[in-house]
């Protein structure tokens, strides 16, 4: 019973109160955490059903970096080594995003001419989309009519995974064509998040078609030298003289490495 003279509504003695807190607070605390975790899971699942515009608007901000765009990077080509008068270059374009593709194609073709590639040695064709580029490039490479191929396309990221699948398949396919056919294939496919990003890289001094053309000529010359199709270049092939049994130099080309 209660001590003599103690009010009837007084709390139990101290030890009894501690026992009550020990047994009652942990379950209450656990229940609160459980409810919070359930609410968080429901909110996370609800995001998947929200409109894409709303998801973008509530996305966390990402700090801007000072890294330059690809077109503005310091990638140098030596014009004295890019003599394209004997080069045969193929250009394969896609029909998606015609304004962007047309500008990239023009930048590429004009640069090829500036490097000495003859009009009749520039072969152009088109395919529906980027996914068709690897097979078209393989057909052109196996025809034996070109020394290098520039594949021009533009993939703009959307709300689904289509962008990732096509980008991966296209890049892997074009790399395989180059390795399997020994014909350089320049990856001229823009992979961007917005149409504006594509326009920034398809116009003006940042037109990527310019560097793609320079790459095509350089790789065409490298291929010709490596396969013994030219006498001498500055590309690291066909310049190494063979040594005879007596240690003297003998005329002849080679791979130079």
């Amino acid at each position: 019973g209660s001590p003599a003279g103690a009010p009837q509504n007084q709390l139990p003695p101290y030890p009894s109160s501690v026992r009550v807190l020990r047994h009652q607070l942990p379950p209450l605390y656990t229940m609160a955490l459980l409810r919070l975790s359930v609410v968080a899971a429901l909110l996370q699942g609800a995001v998947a059903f929200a409109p894409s515009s709303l998801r973008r608007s509530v996305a966390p901000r990402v700090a801007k970096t000072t890294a330059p765009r690809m077109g503005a990077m310091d990638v140098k080509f030596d014009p004295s080594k890019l003599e394209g008068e004997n080069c045969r270059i193929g250009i394969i374009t896609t029909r998606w995003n015609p304004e962007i593709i047309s500008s990239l194609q023009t930048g590429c073709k004009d640069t090829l001419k500036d490097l000495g590639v003859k009009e009749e040695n520039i072969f152009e064709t088109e395919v529906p989309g980027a996914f068709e580029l690897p097979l078209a490039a393989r057909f052109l490479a196996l025809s034996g009519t070109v020394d290098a191929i520039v594949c021009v396309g533009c993939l703009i990221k959307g709300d689904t995974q289509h962008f990732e699948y096509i980008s991966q398949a296209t890049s892997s396919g074009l790399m395989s064509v180059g390795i399997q056919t020994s014909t350089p294939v320049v990856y001229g496919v823009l992979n961007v998040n917005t149409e504006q990003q594509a326009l920034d890289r398809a116009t003006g001094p940042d037109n990527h078609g310019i560097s793609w053309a320079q790459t095509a000529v350089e790789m065409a010359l490298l291929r010709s030298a490596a396969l013994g199709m030219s006498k001498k270049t500055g590309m690291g092939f066909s310049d190494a003289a063979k040594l005879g049994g007596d240690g003297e130099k003998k005329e002849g080309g080679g791979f130079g490495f």
Side-chain angles (χ1 to χ4, degrees):
S2 300
Q8 295 299 318
N9 59 353
Q10 185 177 354
L11 289 173
Y14 180 77
S16 177
S17 300
V18 171
R19 287 195 297 272
V20 171
L21 291 175
R22 186 183 62 191
H23 290 293
Q24 295 298 325
L25 285 183
L28 293 176
Y29 180 72
T30 302
M31 183 61 69
L33 288 179
L34 179 60
R35 289 175 179 174
L36 286 175
S37 63
V38 170
V39 172
L42 290 174
L43 290 176
Q44 185 176 7
V47 172
F49 298 95
S52 59
S53 58
L54 179 60
R55 292 202 303 270
R56 283 193 289 267
S57 64
V58 299
R61 293 179 177 270
V62 179
K64 293 183 178 180
T65 64
T66 57
R69 296 195 306 270
M70 177 181 172
M73 290 183 178
D74 189 20
V75 179
K76 300 295 184 182
F77 292 87
D78 187 351
S80 65
K81 295 183 178 180
L82 301 180
E83 301 175 356
E85 61 271 12
N86 294 321
C87 293
R88 304 167 301 166
I89 308 296
I91 302 177
I92 306 176
T93 58
T94 62
R95 289 198 290 272
W96 279 90
N97 305 300
E99 178 184 358
I100 296 168
I101 297 302
S102 177
S103 182
L104 291 168
Q105 182 181 15
T106 299
C108 180
K109 190 173 181 179
D110 288 348
T111 302
L112 289 176
K113 293 179 180 179
D114 292 340
L115 296 175
V117 181
K118 301 174 183 177
E119 175 76 29
E120 59 268 25
N121 285 339
I122 300 177
F123 304 87
E124 299 178 271
T125 188
E126 67 176 15
V127 293
F131 192 77
E132 289 73 42
L133 284 173
L135 184 57
R138 181 174 174 82
F139 288 153
L140 186 55
L142 292 177
S143 72
T145 59
V146 295
D147 301 309
I149 303 170
V150 181
C151 292
V152 181
C154 178
L155 295 171
I156 302 177
K157 187 174 178 62
D159 293 332
T160 69
Q161 290 183 310
H162 180 266
F163 173 85
E164 284 79 6
Y165 290 138
I166 299 301
S167 297
Q168 176 64 31
T170 302
S171 60
S172 177
L174 292 179
M175 174 64 75
S176 296
V177 171
I179 294 174
Q180 293 171 5
T181 66
S182 296
T183 301
V185 179
V186 180
Y187 185 74
V189 181
L190 295 181
N191 298 267
V192 295
N193 294 315
T194 65
E195 184 177 3
Q196 185 58 52
Q197 289 179 349
L199 289 171
D200 292 342
R201 291 156 177 77
T203 57
D206 281 346
N207 188 326
H208 285 22
I210 298 173
S211 62
W212 296 339
Q214 294 169 324
T215 301
V217 171
E218 180 171 332
M219 292 303 295
L221 293 173
L222 182 65
R223 172 181 180 267
S224 296
L227 300 181
M229 302 165 65
S230 62
K231 293 183 179 180
K232 185 176 181 181
T233 72
M235 297 296 172
F237 298 97
S238 299
D239 294 328
K242 294 181 179 179
L243 294 179
D246 54 0
E248 296 182 357
K249 275 187 178 182
K250 295 180 64 176
E251 296 299 325
F255 281 92
F257 55 64

